[in-house]
Structures are given as structure tokens and as C-alpha cells.
Amino acid sequence: MTNVLVTGGAGYIGSHACKALSRAGYTPVTYDNLSTGWEDAVRFGPFERGCLTDRARLDQIFAAYQPQAVMHFAALSQVGESMRAPELYWHNNVAGSLSLMQAAVAAGCLDVVFSSTCATYGDQDNVLLDEGCAQHPINAYGASKRAIEDMLRDFEAAYGLRHVIFRYFNVAGADPEAEIGEFHQPETHLIPLMLDAIDGKRNALTIFGTDYDTPDGTCIRDYVHVCDLVQAHVLGLNWLEERRGSRVFNLGTGTGFSVREVIEQSAAVTNRVVPIVEGPRRPGDCARLVSGSTRATVELGWQASRSTLAQMIGDAWRWHQSGHYTK
Ligand code: UFG
């Protein structure tokens, strides 16, 4: 079986990627320091604990598993935190990725699938974002991911490190079998916070801003099901196996939903009341982030077949009710 090194394989998206990889016949080798991930979520292949910045440990892992490719998810990913403590993002995300890329090149592992974000585009309200849009991140998280994208391009030119970069829009939902799901501590994302409010784990969901220049005044996002998202990664891996060169793909559906629309849909799916309060805007939030690209569909044959709002909320709700990870 072919090994794929999955950094951040104990996290939300990484663990779903491990499941998809194992279903596709690969052995996902999780490398994770458990700073935000959960060992309970590592169920589909071996687990190796370690930090990206620990080059000696990475060299050991590459030697032991001889992975064919790296899927690089491990990162800090909270926009607000990145504004308060940018050094964490430059250290963990950028310096960590540098150490990982150096180890990959040294080991001759030259295929990388990288988890980037629409946050690299920054505030381009009312524009449908495609891969050709300029990247002007407005927070340190987005800036760290853009820097890693640049690093990958430089490493391709110098060392032939080929890469597929995926720029995610808003990832949501959970494994339909509820084996794994989204669980952050602290939680900052809309749908899990709303599910907590619905079942009384928190008093109410605060809507961050009702005065945006959008039809109902709340922010619009393009939500994509985590299972669809990770399926694109398997396709990206196949693309690297079959072709020369590198490519960037947006992963979104092209349809935006406002915070109020997500709330309405959640009430309908769960058949419960969503307790809400209206609050001020959250710093760093763009009014509207929607993908305007069909590149992943056209070139990878990707279909976002599970990404209806009802399906994403339904899968997240099932997982939410079935229990959580523990340290
Ligand atoms: N929101 C609320 N109340 C909450 C939480 C969120 O109203 O309690 C709103 C936000 O203001 C935003 C929307 O719900 O309009 C979605 O917020 P999330 O925190 O779920 O997601 P973000 O859009 O902020 O962040 C996501 C990813 C980031 C990525 C970013 C790109 O989680 O990693 O998209 O903008 F950088």
C-alpha cells in the first residue's frame, strides 16, 4: 500500500482526508502535535506525534514510511487569534511548513497537496473569487498561507517539488457515518456554535454584524462539505501522479449563504429553535466570500455532491449528538 504523510491528520479536515485516503487504497500516516487535534480522530492509519518545526523527527518519519506524497493540513487557523498573536502563525504555519518542505525534498518526496484558504484573497467584496484573483490577505492567518503558497512555488523552481494548492471556502459538515467530525476547543465556527446553542450547551449564538452590505445585513459565505472537500484532495493526489507541474484550485460551490440563512436552515434541519442575539461585527470578517471558479470541476472532475446546506447541517448535527473526542 502507498503511504501518504498527512500533517494535521488528527484535526477536523485532516482526519476526514485520512478516511478518504484509506477508502481510496492509500495508507494515511498522521503527523500531528495534538495542539488542536485529537488522537481519537486518528483511525485510518498510523499515528506519529510531532511538530512541524522538529526537522530531526520529520527526517525520521520520512525515512520510516517513505511516503509517496505529503498532504499538508497542519496549521493554526483562527483568524482572530492570528491578529492578536501573528508570531504564532509565522512560526507554526510558515516556519513549520519550511521545515516540512526541506525534509520532503531531502527525502525525495516531491508531491505535495497543500491546504490553503480563500482568506488569502482578502476583502474583495462582491467579487466572485477565482484562482486568478489577486491575493491581498487582511489577516495574519491568510498572510501565512499565502507565504506558504509562495514557498511552494520557489521550491518547485529550485527542487522540482510539485504541488496542488487548494484554497478552501467555508468547510462544514461531518462524516456521514458520524465516526469523526468537527470539534475545536475553543470553538469559533458558525455551525458547531449554533448546534451548541440549539442543544443548550451555550446560551445563544451571537450574529457577528447585521449591518453588512448584503441583502439581510449578515455575512455571506460559500459552504462546502468536508467530505466533498477531502475527495478533491484524493483527486489532487491522482492529478500529481499523472501529470507534470503544479496547480491551484478553489474549493467552494459558487453559492453563498448569509448567516441568517444558515440559522434558518439549521432550525429546519434540527426542528429546534436557534437562540440568537445580534452583536457587533467581528474584526477581520469580509462581507462576502464566494468562489467563482469551476476549475476543480472541469480539470479534476470534482463534484460537490454533498454540499447542500441541509446535508452539511444534518451531518454535523448527527455527529454533534453522537459524542466528542476526549484528550
Ligand atoms: N459567525 C457569527 N457568529 C459566530 C461565529 C461566526 O455570526 O459565533 C459568522 C461570521 O461572522 C462569518 C460566518 O459566521 O460571517 C462564518 O464564520 P466562521 O467563523 O464559521 O468562518 P469564517 O468565515 O470566519 O472562517 C473560515 C475558516 C477560516 C478561513 C476563513 C476565510 O474557518 O479558516 O473562512 O475567511 F480563513
Side-chain angles (χ1 to χ4, degrees), residues 76-79 117-120 122 139 141-142 145 168-171 182 184 187-194 202 204-209 212 218-221 223 257-259 262-263 277 280-282 284-287 289:
L76 296 178
S77 64
Q78 288 182 38
V79 170
T117 169
C118 65
T120 59
N139 50 61
Y141 167 62
K145 289 285 185 171
Y168 307 162
F169 285 70
N170 282 58
V171 190
E182 181 171 16
H184 298 108
E187 187 53 76
T188 62
H189 293 102
L190 176 64
I191 292 174
L193 285 173
M194 184 160 40
R202 66 182 64 233
L205 174 82
T206 303
I207 301 181
F208 293 145
Y212 284 97
T218 64
C219 291
I220 292 176
R221 294 288 182 273
Y223 294 87
F257 293 98
S258 71
V259 173
V262 176
I263 292 169
V277 294
R281 293 183 179 197
R282 183 174 65 176
D285 274 349
C286 303
L289 285 168

Side-chain angles (χ1 to χ4, degrees), residues 64 84 90 104 126 140 142 148 156 206 225 247 262 286 302:
R84 291 190 300 275
W90 288 94
N126 300 318
I148 301 162
E156 179 177 30
T206 303
H225 196 297
R247 201 76 171 131
V262 176
C286 303
W302 181 60

Side-chain angles (χ1 to χ4, degrees), residues 8-12 14-16 18-19 30 32-49 175 178-183 185 319 322-327:
Y12 169 44
S15 60
H16 287 78
C18 287
K19 184 163 183 173
T30 289
D32 198 301
N33 66 4
L34 299 184
S35 63
T36 57
W38 306 90
E39 195 166 350
D40 276 2
V42 184
R43 301 181 181 194
F44 312 100
F47 174 53
E48 297 288 349
R49 188 168 182 166
D175 172 31
E179 224 183 330
I180 47 178
E182 181 171 16
F183 188 48
Q185 266 186 346
W319 153 255
S322 70
H324 289 136
Y325 307 129
T326 47
K327 284 280 183 202

Side-chain angles (χ1 to χ4, degrees), residues 85-96 140-141 143-144 146-148:
E87 68 281 4
L88 295 178
Y89 285 71
W90 288 94
H91 180 71
N92 285 283
N93 295 1
V94 181
Y141 167 62
S144 74
R146 189 188 59 179
I148 301 162

Side-chain angles (χ1 to χ4, degrees), residues 21 41 46 109 124 131 134 142 170 184 212 235 275 284 289 293 302 310 312:
L21 283 167
C109 176
Q124 305 188 26
E131 295 85 351
N170 282 58
H184 298 108
Y212 284 97
L235 295 170
L289 285 168
S293 169
W302 181 60
M312 288 185 275

Side-chain angles (χ1 to χ4, degrees), residues 53-324:
T53 46
D54 186 345
R55 174 66 198 278
R57 178 95 175 102
L58 281 171
D59 287 344
Q60 227 177 40
I61 300 299
F62 276 103
Y65 292 97
Q66 306 275 317
Q68 173 205 305
V70 178
M71 274 196 192
H72 180 27
F73 297 96
L76 296 178
S77 64
Q78 288 182 38
V79 170
E81 178 187 63
S82 82
M83 302 296 277
R84 291 190 300 275
E87 68 281 4
L88 295 178
Y89 285 71
W90 288 94
H91 180 71
N92 285 283
N93 295 1
V94 181
S97 296
L98 178 60
S99 154
L100 176 67
M101 295 316 146
Q102 288 175 304
V105 167
C109 176
L110 297 177
D111 285 358
V112 175
V113 178
F114 175 58
S115 158
S116 188
T117 169
C118 65
T120 59
Y121 293 119
D123 209 347
Q124 305 188 26
D125 288 349
N126 300 318
V127 172
L128 285 180
L129 298 164
D130 66 32
E131 295 85 351
C133 286
Q135 291 175 286
H136 299 298
I138 59 165
N139 50 61
Y141 167 62
S144 74
K145 289 285 185 171
R146 189 188 59 179
I148 301 162
E149 291 194 10
D150 289 343
M151 184 192 300
L152 287 168
R153 290 184 197 101
D154 288 347
F155 271 57
E156 179 177 30
Y159 308 116
L161 188 90
R162 299 174 332 116
H163 54 267
V164 165
I165 292 170
F166 287 118
R167 295 187 188 140
Y168 307 162
F169 285 70
N170 282 58
V171 190
D175 172 31
E177 290 158 4
E179 224 183 330
I180 47 178
E182 181 171 16
F183 188 48
H184 298 108
Q185 266 186 346
E187 187 53 76
T188 62
H189 293 102
L190 176 64
I191 292 174
L193 285 173
M194 184 160 40
L195 299 180
D196 276 350
I198 287 174
D199 73 4
K201 291 200 183 92
R202 66 182 64 233
N203 292 339
L205 174 82
T206 303
I207 301 181
F208 293 145
T210 53
D211 59 348
Y212 284 97
D213 184 19
T214 59
D216 68 17
T218 64
C219 291
I220 292 176
R221 294 288 182 273
D222 181 340
Y223 294 87
V224 56
H225 196 297
V226 65
C227 290
D228 289 336
L229 184 100
V230 297
Q231 206 45 48
H233 289 63
V234 176
L235 295 170
L237 195 59
N238 298 155
W239 188 94
L240 283 171
E241 283 163 12
E242 288 164 10
R243 288 187 178 72
R244 298 191 174 279
S246 299
R247 201 76 171 131
V248 179
F249 298 96
N250 277 357
L251 292 179
T253 65
T255 304
F257 293 98
S258 71
V259 173
R260 287 198 202 280
E261 287 173 318
V262 176
I263 292 169
E264 274 161 31
Q265 193 59 242
S266 300
V269 168
T270 61
N271 204 20
R272 305 263 194 104
V273 172
V274 185
I276 53 166
V277 294
E278 295 185 0
R281 293 183 179 197
R282 183 174 65 176
D285 274 349
C286 303
R288 180 183 161 90
L289 285 168
V290 179
S291 175
S293 169
T294 55
R295 186 186 283 181
T297 304
V298 172
E299 296 186 18
L300 296 178
W302 181 60
Q303 294 295 334
S305 53
R306 227 182 153 79
S307 294
T308 63
L309 214 43
Q311 192 81 70
M312 288 185 275
I313 295 166
D315 288 343
W317 181 231
R318 206 165 312 115
W319 153 255
H320 188 87
Q321 290 175 303
S322 70
H324 289 136

